[in-house]
Amino acid sequence: MNRRLRRLRVRRSQSIGDHQQILGAFSPSSPDEDWSTFDAHLSQLETSVEILRQRFEQMRAAQEQQREIEQQLQNSDLKADEIQQLKQRLEELEMQFESQLFDWGSLREPFWQAVRFGGLGIILGWILRGIASR
């Protein structure tokens, strides 16, 4: 029973220490600390939120156009060339949706992680093969 109490006390003191470390990460270590990095990160975050908001509005407008085109396609008194133009515009909107969701810049980090860990795996495989063949 005493061992359990000691373990619980140790765990509790460790979690309190972890909590204080987390809080310390968000507060300056001294009153004279430069807040310019915080301001820079905050402005970068605001810019990212604004860009995300603009992309959201573009997607919303494209979805509205898609609904309108689909309603026009359901209209039976359209000519064949008008139907073809509407289908082409619908394909362009679908392509725009896919391009909004997929960004080549988002593949940069996973690519380098695959190169790093794949290369490491190959090297470790060669080492283990060399050890096993002796």
Side-chain angles (χ1 to χ4, degrees):
M1 184 73 171
N2 289 335
R3 289 181 185 171
R4 287 184 183 174
L5 287 174
R6 277 187 238 147
R7 287 181 190 165
L8 288 174
R9 287 180 185 154
V10 168
R11 287 181 187 166
R12 185 174 181 204
S13 65
Q14 288 174 347
S15 67
I16 291 172
D18 292 341
H19 182 68
Q20 289 173 346
Q21 285 178 344
I22 292 170
L23 287 177
F26 292 112
S27 61
S29 59
S30 68
D32 298 332
E33 184 176 340
D34 188 21
W35 286 88
S36 63
T37 56
F38 177 75
D39 290 337
H41 289 296
L42 185 61
S43 64
Q44 183 181 12
L45 179 64
E46 289 171 347
T47 304
S48 298
V49 167
E50 185 60 34
I51 290 170
L52 181 64
R53 186 173 286 133
Q54 289 173 356
R55 287 182 69 187
F56 177 73
E57 290 299 324
Q58 289 173 352
M59 292 294 290
R60 183 183 285 172
Q63 285 176 344
E64 184 62 34
Q65 287 179 356
Q66 183 182 21
R67 283 189 214 111
E68 290 174 3
I69 290 172
E70 288 173 351
Q71 287 176 356
Q72 289 176 359
L73 282 174
Q74 291 176 357
N75 192 358
S76 62
D77 60 343
L78 293 175
K79 296 179 183 175
D81 60 338
E82 291 176 347
I83 291 174
Q84 187 66 23
Q85 289 176 353
L86 289 175
K87 285 184 179 182
Q88 183 179 2
R89 178 65 182 144
L90 195 59
E91 287 177 9
E92 290 173 4
L93 286 173
E94 289 175 1
M95 205 56 149
Q96 183 180 0
F97 287 146
E98 292 173 5
S99 68
Q100 289 288 333
L101 295 175
F102 182 74
D103 183 20
W104 287 105
S106 65
L107 291 179
R108 185 177 307 143
E109 185 177 344
F111 170 76
W112 286 113
Q113 285 183 358
V115 168
R116 181 184 319 138
F117 295 119
L120 185 63
I122 291 171
I123 291 170
L124 286 175
W126 283 340
I127 291 170
L128 291 174
R129 183 176 151 222
I131 291 172
S133 67
R134 286 184 186 177

